[in-house]
Amino acid sequence: MLTAKGLAERVGVSAVTLSKYENGHAPDEATAKRLAMALSYPLDFFFREAPERIDTDAVSFRSLARMKAKERRAAEAAGSLGIELYEWIDARFNLPSADLIDLSKERRRPFVAARLLRQHWGLGDRPIGNVLKLIESKGIRVLSLSEATKNVDAYSFWRGEHPYVFLNQEKTAERSIFDTAHELGHLVLHHHADSKTDKEAETQADRFASAFLMPESDVMDYAHLFTAGQIIAAKKRWKVSAMALANRLNSLGYISEWNYRSLLIELGKRGYRSGEPDGIEREVSTVLAKVLAALWSKGMTKENIARDLGIPLEEIEALIFRLSPDQGASLEVRKPSLRVVK
């Protein structure tokens, strides 16, 4: 990642001058051309109205201790660009409206909140086949993060009536699914709340995710899982990591603390602490795939989006899971369907 000092040297300006540009001062045309070349951005980008920044106090950033300042800035920039991208899509497609419940004022316990949302969505207690597809059908706008944000697990926020979730694609597919449910917990439990980075809020979101993905009445039938091999075989039912399933069984009291610790040790030896050796297929955005397919049918490409927004194609790719139009063409269309605005 290019540092501010490195960029200033490459462009031929002082760090102080570069800081002024970052804070809204427009560069002269010659400097703008050098900035555009150094950053691989269109020249027009430096003369257009600055994108509105997201309210970082209402963003559910995690892992702040290991997150570098430049990673946080990159994540915030992705949030702003993600909003612009969806505004562009909103002008051309009818997207699902948000259908969530707001429990921020009721202070519901996380497992109760998870059960209430499942009831609201009519899910019963069955495992969820595709979590991203589900939450997108309920109006949550999901985007991906670039490699420049490796220490940002995921984050979410409300923008007016639109909820957004950003996911790190460097994590395992199982971890990404749990992160998705974790951010869903923030959107429900801490709706429009200020500062969702405190430890208690993170614990609540984790417990919500565990209960939402693995309902107790369904997990009860698997209370006999006492070995690492049994955990590994069963985890695919809920599309969670082996560690997450072991933790859920322990929190429900189905396995003892001693057995739980033994499981963690054995799973760690098998490589399940740092990864998921027999991982599942990664989920991606269904809505964005359908948008690309619909645009492709009309002769429009990702390059058109990038040109209209005045940002590099690579930035678009980083936000849309690096999807291709043909991935959306094969998707089954279910109500509410994605319709092009005439």
Side-chain angles (χ1 to χ4, degrees):
M1 183 185 295
L2 186 63
T3 64
K5 181 181 178 181
L7 177 61
E9 291 175 351
R10 186 175 296 185
V11 175
V13 298
S14 68
V16 174
T17 300
L18 183 63
S19 179
K20 290 181 179 180
Y21 297 154
E22 291 177 334
N23 288 291
H25 290 264
D28 59 66
E29 186 173 351
T31 303
K33 286 180 179 179
R34 294 196 299 273
L35 281 167
M37 184 174 296
L39 296 171
S40 299
Y41 263 68
L43 181 60
D44 291 345
F45 176 85
F46 299 94
F47 294 100
R48 69 172 187 158
E49 186 177 343
E52 189 170 345
R53 294 185 176 181
I54 59 175
D55 180 7
T56 55
D57 287 336
V59 173
S60 68
F61 279 124
R62 284 181 286 158
S63 308
L64 285 175
R66 69 174 189 268
M67 190 190 306
K68 299 176 181 177
K70 62 183 179 182
E71 288 178 318
R72 178 163 182 160
R73 287 196 296 270
E76 291 170 352
S80 295
L81 292 178
I83 291 171
E84 285 199 58
L85 172 60
Y86 258 103
E87 287 176 347
W88 187 94
I89 295 172
D90 265 330
R92 294 160 178 80
F93 297 89
N94 290 325
L95 302 177
S97 300
D99 180 22
L100 279 78
I101 53 177
D102 180 4
L103 301 178
S104 59
K105 297 180 177 63
E106 298 185 32
R107 298 188 181 278
R108 297 276 188 170
R109 295 204 289 190
F111 74 90
V112 175
R115 187 172 67 241
L116 289 174
L117 184 61
R118 273 182 161 267
Q119 290 174 351
H120 180 69
W121 286 349
L123 300 178
D125 294 318
R126 68 183 186 274
I128 299 169
N130 188 313
V131 178
L132 282 197
K133 185 175 184 179
L134 169 67
I135 69 170
E136 284 189 316
S137 73
K138 305 303 180 182
I140 298 175
R141 300 171 172 206
V142 184
L143 298 121
S144 57
L145 291 167
S146 69
E147 294 180 2
T149 54
K150 288 183 179 179
N151 287 321
V152 184
D153 292 326
Y155 69 91
S156 59
F157 58 86
W158 284 85
R159 171 75 170 186
E161 296 305 311
H162 301 306
Y164 286 82
V165 169
F166 287 76
L167 299 172
N168 187 328
Q169 297 301 287
E170 299 296 308
K171 311 299 181 182
T172 66
E174 289 86 351
R175 174 66 179 274
S176 186
I177 287 173
F178 195 90
D179 285 345
T180 302
H182 176 104
E183 298 307 326
L184 177 61
H186 277 308
L187 294 172
V188 169
L189 291 167
H190 314 123
H191 184 105
H192 288 305
D194 290 333
S195 184
K196 293 180 288 190
T197 58
D198 60 274
K199 188 174 180 180
E200 181 183 359
E202 293 306 308
T203 299
Q204 289 174 352
D206 270 342
R207 290 175 177 170
F208 173 95
S210 185
F212 184 78
L213 294 173
M214 298 170 279
E216 181 176 3
S217 59
D218 192 41
V219 175
M220 283 175 61
D221 294 335
Y222 296 80
H224 60 280
L225 303 179
F226 298 117
T227 70
Q230 290 173 326
I231 294 287
I232 292 168
K235 70 186 182 69
K236 291 182 181 179
R237 174 175 176 79
W238 300 281
K239 300 175 71 174
V240 297
S241 68
M243 292 289 189
L245 177 54
N247 179 273
R248 179 63 169 155
L249 290 167
N250 180 58
S251 67
L252 291 172
Y254 295 152
I255 56 177
S256 68
E257 191 65 27
W258 179 88
N259 194 17
Y260 175 56
R261 293 186 182 279
S262 298
L263 278 171
L264 295 187
I265 293 171
E266 178 60 26
L267 289 170
K269 289 179 180 178
R270 297 192 186 194
Y272 285 90
R273 181 173 295 279
S274 57
E276 217 65 29
D278 59 340
I280 61 173
E281 185 178 352
R282 181 175 299 280
E283 295 182 352
V284 295
S285 168
T286 300
V287 166
L288 293 175
K290 289 181 179 180
V291 164
L292 290 178
L295 293 173
W296 182 264
S297 69
K298 295 182 176 295
M300 296 182 68
T301 66
K302 289 177 281 188
E303 285 80 0
N304 292 103
I305 303 175
R307 185 166 55 252
D308 285 355
L309 294 179
I311 61 176
L313 177 61
E314 175 57 29
E315 297 288 351
I316 297 296
E317 295 279 15
L319 288 169
I320 65 171
F321 299 83
R322 303 194 180 279
L323 289 163
S324 59
D326 59 312
Q327 287 174 274
S330 61
L331 291 172
E332 179 184 358
V333 179
R334 294 184 180 180
K335 293 182 179 180
S337 60
L338 195 65
R339 294 180 291 114
V340 179
V341 176
K342 302 297 184 182

